[in-house]
Amino acid sequence: VDTSALGPSSVLRSTFANNTAELYGGGMMSACMEMDIANCRFLNNEASIWGGAILVLYAGDFTLVNSVAAGNSDSGQGAVSIHAAGGAIINSAIVDNATGGVFLSTFDGESLAVDNTIVWGNDGDAVTSKSGGELFVRASNVEGGWKGPGNIDLPPGITVDPDGTITMDGDSPCIDAGNDGLLPDDLLDLDADGDVAALLAVDTLSAGGALNA
């Protein structure tokens, strides 16, 4: 999917699997001014250059919530590759990709937050930041470690099923390791209660989100 010609957009409860891109964004390339992705799975996609799962390029705010990126591959830039854009990755899992995990290259004044997220088992650096912008990683399990409040560096004890469902072992260090205060507002009303000012309800995270808060 290439959303470059779209205005502010949302993608909900979707699976992008087994796709190949000649250049960028094996599952999705987004260059629209605002993109919210929630409860989605990016599985076994391939890009020849950047963004085995997702490439965000010269865009405005980007949000990836309660989503899974697993088994994707590219030239090594990162399964979720963000260039000249900012935003947040929240309650997600970026695991077991044949490339790096999260790659950020952006400008001064822009920032990316990675919160309540597992970045583990990727064939490359879990997180790479080559930018003038700021990267904040909080309450996340990052292989190799990353500075930030509440972060851990421990085998996550998870199983990723072929359909992208994530199951945590009973002794997973990710259980109760997240921070409820980092959950976003439920602006997309994923729990269909009409209240978009409330925090995203944890029990709506049906795509197999990451750190259990």
Side-chain angles (χ1 to χ4, degrees):
V1 174
D2 183 352
T3 67
S4 302
L6 301 178
S9 303
S10 300
V11 179
L12 309 177
R13 303 183 184 93
S14 299
T15 297
F16 301 82
N18 304 311
N19 299 291
T20 300
E22 292 185 1
L23 295 175
Y24 311 114
M28 174 185 292
M29 183 173 76
S30 177
C32 57
M33 289 307 297
E34 183 176 329
M35 171 58 73
D36 295 313
I37 302 171
N39 287 22
C40 288
R41 304 175 188 191
F42 295 83
L43 308 172
N44 306 315
N45 301 290
E46 181 180 358
S48 62
I49 301 182
W50 297 339
I54 304 169
L55 172 70
V56 182
L57 182 66
Y58 295 107
D61 289 334
F62 163 76
T63 305
L64 180 69
V65 179
N66 189 54
S67 294
V68 176
N72 304 283
S73 62
D74 65 14
S75 65
Q77 287 276 357
V80 179
S81 190
I82 301 170
H83 297 253
I89 300 171
I90 307 168
N91 271 66
S92 293
I94 301 168
V95 296
D96 299 337
N97 295 285
T99 179
V102 177
F103 184 94
L104 175 68
S105 178
T106 191
F107 300 130
D108 290 344
E110 294 178 321
S111 65
L112 176 71
V114 179
D115 297 331
N116 288 358
T117 289
I118 299 170
V119 190
W120 198 275
N122 303 290
D123 292 342
D125 292 337
V127 178
T128 300
S129 179
K130 295 183 177 181
S131 65
E134 294 183 282
L135 175 62
F136 303 98
V137 182
R138 301 171 292 188
S140 293
N141 190 4
V142 179
E143 186 171 12
W146 196 271
K147 64 181 180 180
N151 292 331
I152 59 176
D153 174 16
L154 296 169
I158 60 174
T159 300
V160 183
D161 293 338
D163 68 354
T165 299
I166 289 182
T167 303
M168 288 186 178
D169 297 342
D171 59 353
S172 168
C174 299
I175 295 174
D176 294 331
N179 183 343
D180 285 347
L182 298 175
L183 291 173
D185 292 342
D186 187 15
L187 297 178
L188 301 176
D189 196 20
L190 294 180
D191 56 5
D193 66 354
D195 186 356
V196 296
L199 292 179
L200 183 70
V202 174
D203 60 4
T204 67
L205 305 185
S206 58
L211 270 69
N212 183 301

